[in-house]
Amino acid sequence: MPASAARSARKVCCSARGVALKAKQEDPRGNMVIFSAASGDETAFPYSAKGHGLFTYYLLKKLQETKGDVSLGELESYISENVKQQSVVINRKVQTPTATPSTSLAAGWKELKLK
């Protein structure tokens, strides 16, 4: 591996958050939708220029733009599109946010509004 590639790989590795969590493989209960920053064994990467993780940055940005008047489906789509794209551009790694609804909300959770 060329020296420049090794430095670049170390930089991405070192800039990643150092916490690995293994979520229980259990569906949410009640009236709950769980938003996660990354899927499976992926890493949730930082957006250093903005002072947040990629997921948090786009979550907060959409909430600010809409003043909270947004459906969960719109929020999930916005976060997913932007994080997937910017993770590859900024960190050269895949990050796929997810939203998992409880079974009681499975049919209509995307239409639910925060406000």
Side-chain angles (χ1 to χ4, degrees):
M1 177 182 290
S4 62
R7 276 193 302 275
S8 182
R10 277 195 305 274
K11 184 177 178 183
V12 169
C13 177
C14 294
S15 70
R17 310 226 184 221
V19 178
L21 300 174
K22 188 69 173 174
K24 289 183 179 180
Q25 295 300 330
E26 186 175 308
D27 289 333
R29 297 182 191 149
N31 294 327
M32 190 182 320
V33 178
I34 297 174
F35 283 76
S36 301
S39 300
D41 291 335
E42 293 176 351
T43 299
F45 290 102
Y47 195 173
S48 299
K50 301 295 183 180
H52 288 289
L54 280 168
F55 175 86
T56 302
Y57 174 75
Y58 286 106
L59 169 69
L60 295 175
K61 184 175 180 186
K62 186 66 171 179
L63 292 175
Q64 286 176 336
E65 288 173 355
T66 62
K67 296 184 171 82
D69 189 19
V70 62
S71 72
L72 294 181
E74 292 166 334
L75 186 60
E76 185 265 340
S77 292
Y78 179 83
I79 292 169
S80 184
E81 281 179 30
N82 285 286
V83 170
K84 283 181 194 178
Q85 179 186 28
Q86 290 304 309
S87 182
V88 172
V89 171
I90 295 168
N91 298 300
R92 296 188 183 106
K93 300 284 183 180
V94 174
Q95 180 177 339
T96 313
T98 63
T100 307
S102 63
T103 53
S104 64
L105 293 178
W109 72 273
K110 290 187 176 192
E111 288 77 37
L112 293 175
K113 288 227 167 194
L114 291 178
K115 250 183 166 176

